[in-house]
Amino acid sequence: MSDREPEPDSPPKRPDGSGPVRVLVVDDSALMRRLLTDLLSAAPGIEVVGTARDGREAVLKTAQLKPDVVTLDVEMPEISGLDALPAILAVHPVPVVMVSALTQEGAEVTLRALELGAVDFLPKPTKNQLAEMRAASDLLVAKVLGAAQSRVLGNRRAASSSRSARSAASPPSSSTSTSTPTVDGVVVIGISTGGPQALARVIPLLQPPSPPIVIVQHMPAQFTRVFADRLGRSSAVTVKEAAEGDLLIANRVLVAPGGRQLTLTGVPPRVRIALSDPSEPPVSGHRPSVDVLFKSAAKVYQGATVGVIMTGMGRDGVDGCKAILAAGGLTLGQDEETSVVYGMNKAAFLESAVAAQFPLDDLVPILQNLAAFREDHARNR
């Protein structure tokens, strides 16, 4: 979900270890089906076992072929990719990579698909599609191979929505909903593949008072503002895409804009957002990079920093977690069972860069009562 996805942690193979990753390609364009098939078939460890031209055929072929991965076009006539997705997952819980247009409308639909159970997405160019898709062949292959190693967690949207509804039914008092006090500490979150689904289950459940939170979600520039706005519409705390000079305050979540590095500057409690020029190179393979955010947070907030590393491919954030620990802060990693991809958080855990691991549904109570969690963790070490 970034400028460049890292290679998967293990050689390309089916989830059961036997043979190449079997892919079903779904697109209403015959030309795009042919192109995707050719690009994927040329990659070692991938076999395209079938194609489908609409949502109805996609469901039938998924049930028949039981592929390891489905690439699913978002915009198709009659039955769209979004409508077909739940039916595909119902007949065969397969990792689905959405193929989406780089537009605001495409971002809205794609993010909804990720919340409904798709594991990742591939931006489809709006111009010069054939040339640009060929140029992005490495990214396409990395997305498919990464999806093959991911975990399909299913649609938790209903549970999340019901809990959000309960939160909305009991809004915070006027004194907390209108005040935005500054605080001495910060929570920084790094997340990638599986992030939109995970964060949609966490952020809407936060209630004031809540610490300032800054998130790096690996995602293209055209998607991060839409992503932040979607989270904000269902949340009691404020959620927005971070802008240059934004002040870190309680009860607000800032999402790093795609395509730019984000750092924290200043002295607590007057800490602000600084954004790099879009031409600045990726760090740890990403722009924005979790490592960049985490290291800057450790420098500014020292021991008052809490770093949370979550689902995603690669190892972005590992060095940042180590910097937070060295500064006296606390680092936490999402556990394997609740991660779509146990990658970034696994690397941090194996390199002793996280102090403790947590299941996803425990993150909200941890964030809402960090002082108690710190005390419990210190006693149990």
Side-chain angles (χ1 to χ4, degrees):
M1 290 189 178
S2 65
D3 300 280
R4 179 180 61 83
E5 287 291 337
E7 292 298 318
D9 295 331
S10 57
K13 61 182 179 181
R14 298 186 66 190
D16 62 6
S18 61
V21 173
R22 303 170 67 253
V23 181
L24 173 66
V25 173
V26 183
D27 200 293
D28 67 315
S29 164
L31 192 59
M32 189 59 65
R33 289 197 302 274
R34 181 73 263 167
L35 176 61
L36 292 173
T37 297
D38 289 346
L39 294 176
L40 291 171
S41 298
I46 295 179
E47 176 188 4
V48 176
V49 295
T51 62
R53 56 193 169 188
D54 57 39
R56 184 177 290 104
E57 189 177 9
V59 175
L60 292 174
K61 289 203 172 181
T62 299
Q64 174 190 357
L65 299 172
K66 294 196 166 27
D68 302 315
V69 177
V70 172
T71 69
L72 182 60
D73 188 18
V74 170
E75 297 179 6
M76 294 185 294
E78 297 186 23
I79 299 178
S80 69
L82 188 65
D83 293 330
L85 176 61
I88 289 172
L89 296 178
V91 299
H92 179 52
V94 59
V96 175
V97 177
M98 307 301 294
V99 181
S100 166
L102 275 173
T103 62
Q104 179 166 334
E105 182 180 354
E108 287 276 5
V109 175
T110 301
L111 289 168
R112 188 168 173 221
L114 295 173
E115 293 169 5
L116 290 172
V119 301
D120 207 345
F121 69 93
L122 178 74
K124 179 191 288 186
T126 54
K127 298 179 180 179
N128 304 318
Q129 286 193 359
L130 296 184
E132 292 190 27
M133 283 297 290
R134 287 194 182 96
S137 61
D138 288 346
L139 180 60
L140 167 66
V141 170
K143 295 279 189 182
V144 168
L145 294 179
Q149 300 178 55
S150 67
R151 184 189 307 257
V152 180
L153 299 179
N155 178 14
R156 308 283 185 96
R157 185 183 179 92
S160 178
S161 296
S162 66
R163 281 180 286 181
S164 296
R166 289 200 300 271
S167 297
S170 304
S173 66
S174 59
S175 61
T176 57
S177 61
T178 58
S179 75
T180 52
T182 55
V183 295
D184 293 331
V186 69
V187 174
V188 286
I189 296 176
I191 194 164
S192 186
T193 308
Q197 185 181 11
L199 293 174
R201 289 174 54 192
V202 171
I203 303 303
L205 301 184
L206 291 174
Q207 290 289 308
S210 173
I213 298 173
V214 184
I215 299 172
V216 162
Q217 160 73 67
H218 294 156
M219 190 176 281
Q222 296 87 341
F223 283 70
T224 46
R225 182 182 296 275
V226 176
F227 176 56
D229 290 345
R230 285 182 63 83
L231 286 177
R233 287 197 291 269
S234 58
S235 300
V237 296
T238 301
V239 186
K240 70 181 291 287
E241 184 184 53
E244 180 73 26
D246 276 346
L247 186 67
L248 272 63
I249 54 177
N251 308 327
R252 183 157 74 172
V253 177
L254 297 174
V255 177
R260 303 181 73 176
Q261 301 293 4
L262 183 151
T263 55
L264 308 183
T265 63
V267 177
R270 302 290 294 179
V271 177
R272 296 184 180 275
I273 296 293
L275 299 176
S276 73
D277 187 274
S279 64
E280 187 169 314
V283 175
S284 304
H286 298 278
R287 187 179 53 226
S289 165
V290 180
D291 280 328
V292 170
L293 169 62
F294 279 23
K295 288 179 180 179
S296 73
K299 184 177 180 180
V300 170
Y301 283 94
Q302 299 288 311
T305 310
V306 176
V308 182
I309 190 78
M310 298 178 68
T311 176
M313 281 199 300
R315 67 181 308 279
D316 186 25
V318 176
D319 294 338
C321 283
K322 291 177 180 178
I324 291 173
L325 289 177
L330 175 66
T331 57
L332 306 172
Q334 185 180 355
D335 67 5
E336 180 176 8
E337 184 179 355
T338 62
S339 297
V340 170
V341 177
Y342 190 50
M344 295 177 356
N345 41 348
K346 176 183 178 181
F349 178 70
L350 292 179
E351 296 187 33
S352 301
V354 294
Q357 294 192 104
F358 62 89
L360 182 60
D361 288 337
D362 284 359
L363 183 55
V364 171
I366 290 172
L367 296 180
Q368 298 276 199
N369 201 347
L370 282 171
F373 182 84
R374 284 177 182 274
E375 291 176 7
D376 290 343
H377 175 69
R379 279 197 302 266
N380 295 328
R381 278 197 300 182

